[in-house]
Amino acid sequence: MGSAEELFEGKPTGLPEPMARGSATYRLASDPAPPVRHLGGYERFVEFCTGQGVEAGELAADPARLFRFLRDVGQDIAAAAALKHAAGVFAGNALASARPYAEWTAYEGAPVMVGAEDLRFEVDRLRDALREVDEAALQGFIAKVSEWSEDQPDPPMMQPQPKSLPAARAYVRPTLPEDRYYAEDGTAIPYGRRWGDGPPDPDSYSVDSHTERFAGLHLVARALIDHLVAVYDVEVREDNAVAADLLVDVRDVVAPIKVTPRASGAAPLTFVLTGYPGVVVHAGVLHSFPFPLCGCDACDETVLTEADRLERLVLSVAAGGYAERYPVGRRRWREYALTAFDGSGAESGKGEPGPIDEAILHKAEIRLRDVQGGWAPWPLRQR
């Protein structure tokens, strides 16, 4: 890269690898992708600024002035494809540098965006819109960006580190039934590879057929509970009242079971087996995880993939690989992080609490102050 692309912090890089829409955020813990905050490809815009008698470096440090400049010269920029692209990259870099932890993101089949989890900007759309806005709209947008950039977000959540379990006390999955399922025309349905490399049938998103294929999740949940009881020092309560722990709507409760470790800093787990059939697990104080996440024909999940997810959650929580935060940032979001018990990867999630009772949120806020470094590993049962 030439010196023209040294206006933002760090060396310019390429776009991040596009993420699949609707996919899990699970990733290899040993191979985290670095965030992209400085994207290359804006040299043409720097040259354009020089021709206009404007210092590009001053625009890079002053988003308000940059947006006004883009509005004033928008028609000239739109006339040249290469310049248009470079202007969008420059504007995205300016946004990324205006806010800690802001970065470029890319999703398959979607426009590239820049921002943080609370607000992201579609840079090409922003660049094109600026040349059409009136003064009032421009002032409103500048004020919005200014407020966003001045908001000091919480630092990224530290990934918890689980404690390994002795091999002699390892969990073993129960044998699951291997049933075959058929469509109305009598052909076998190959769940898990139903759509091959192509997209799902559009009509399949609203159809949950053969939900009985998830019945094995009840066996897995029971086996996990038995494992927790055998290995860890816990209390078990099977009572309809514990289903109230869940923060998602559940119909047709079959069996609600709460497993609480006898250690104040360890996260309890509440299992609710449902008639779907499925399982919902509430971990800690503010997060409930459904299995299957979605059983529609389009998602094409199987009992094996969902059993993997269920076991990973439960065993990782017990190993101390689970952390929660609330409130996070100005918008008071909730957040969780999970590191696999076997070191195979990690996942996280963050968002608005949704329709959760304020009393529950207040209680969770107080409780999480005591486990800011993450929930502790469960205490082992003494043999």
Side-chain angles (χ1 to χ4, degrees):
M1 293 291 179
S3 61
E5 294 201 341
E6 296 177 353
L7 299 180
F8 302 96
E9 182 180 357
K11 293 183 179 180
T13 61
L15 282 171
E17 189 71 21
M19 294 178 284
R21 287 289 188 182
S23 66
T25 58
Y26 210 68
R27 64 186 186 280
L28 290 177
S30 60
D31 190 26
V36 176
R37 287 175 50 82
H38 183 184
L39 182 64
Y42 57 88
E43 186 172 1
R44 179 70 183 86
F45 180 74
V46 175
E47 295 171 354
F48 174 80
C49 291
T50 301
Q52 297 290 317
V54 174
E55 289 289 338
E58 296 179 0
L59 297 181
D62 188 349
R65 184 178 175 186
L66 170 63
F67 299 145
R68 188 172 296 280
F69 178 73
L70 290 173
R71 193 273 303 270
D72 294 341
V73 299
Q75 297 300 330
D76 294 333
I77 290 175
L83 175 58
K84 184 177 178 181
H85 171 75
V89 173
F90 190 96
N93 286 334
L95 286 167
S97 65
R99 167 79 177 266
Y101 314 119
E103 61 185 278
W104 289 83
T105 55
Y107 291 92
E108 291 181 354
V112 176
M113 306 184 80
V114 172
E117 289 173 317
D118 59 341
L119 182 62
R120 299 188 190 276
F121 302 89
E122 186 180 320
V123 289
D124 287 346
R125 183 179 179 184
L126 166 62
R127 175 205 58 212
D128 294 343
L130 282 172
R131 71 173 183 263
E132 306 290 344
V133 299
D134 57 23
E135 183 62 25
L138 179 62
Q139 289 285 3
F141 177 70
I142 290 173
K144 180 179 182 179
V145 172
S146 177
E147 179 184 5
W148 174 76
S149 64
E150 292 172 1
D151 182 29
Q152 293 299 313
D154 292 297
M157 193 173 191
M158 296 296 294
Q159 203 69 36
Q161 298 301 315
K163 182 178 180 180
S164 60
L165 192 66
R169 309 181 96 173
Y171 161 84
V172 178
R173 177 184 291 179
T175 301
L176 300 180
E178 298 182 5
D179 295 330
R180 294 177 66 86
Y181 304 97
Y182 299 89
E184 292 182 356
D185 61 2
T187 59
I189 302 174
Y191 282 114
R193 57 185 188 282
R194 185 171 189 175
W195 310 114
D197 296 329
D201 183 333
D203 293 334
S204 64
Y205 285 94
S206 58
V207 178
D208 286 26
S209 65
H210 294 295
T211 58
E212 68 273 17
R213 71 185 189 275
F214 296 114
L217 292 177
H218 285 193
L219 297 176
V220 173
R222 293 285 189 181
L224 284 166
I225 293 169
D226 290 344
H227 168 77
L228 297 175
V229 171
V231 173
Y232 298 100
D233 186 13
V234 299
E235 295 180 355
V236 180
R237 179 185 176 192
E238 186 163 356
D239 187 326
N240 287 336
V242 304
D245 289 347
L246 301 189
L247 300 177
V248 295
D249 291 333
V250 172
R251 299 178 182 177
D252 194 10
V253 172
V254 173
I257 306 161
K258 185 167 186 175
V259 185
T260 305
R262 291 190 175 95
S264 61
L269 289 168
T270 301
F271 298 76
V272 175
L273 282 59
T274 70
Y276 178 79
V279 179
V280 181
V281 178
H282 182 75
V285 293
L286 272 185
H287 291 86
S288 297
F289 301 86
F291 304 89
L293 182 62
C294 179
C296 78
D297 287 6
C299 289
D300 197 31
E301 296 293 354
T302 70
V303 68
L304 294 178
T305 58
E306 291 303 299
D308 287 341
R309 291 182 55 240
L310 175 56
E311 291 165 349
R312 185 167 60 221
L313 172 68
V314 172
L315 299 176
S316 300
V317 170
Y322 181 58
E324 295 179 281
R325 286 201 303 185
Y326 174 82
V328 180
R330 173 175 52 87
R331 298 178 67 177
R332 297 179 66 82
W333 282 5
R334 58 176 169 158
E335 182 177 15
Y336 81 90
L338 185 77
T339 303
F341 67 97
D342 58 1
S344 61
E347 67 176 274
S348 60
K350 182 178 180 180
E352 296 180 353
I356 300 176
D357 187 270
E358 285 295 332
I360 295 176
L361 292 174
H362 180 67
K363 185 177 179 180
E365 179 178 358
I366 294 173
R367 181 70 184 91
L368 291 176
R369 291 173 186 168
D370 296 330
V371 290
Q372 294 185 24
W375 292 100
W378 287 20
L380 294 174
R381 178 182 294 277
Q382 298 303 313
R383 290 185 171 182

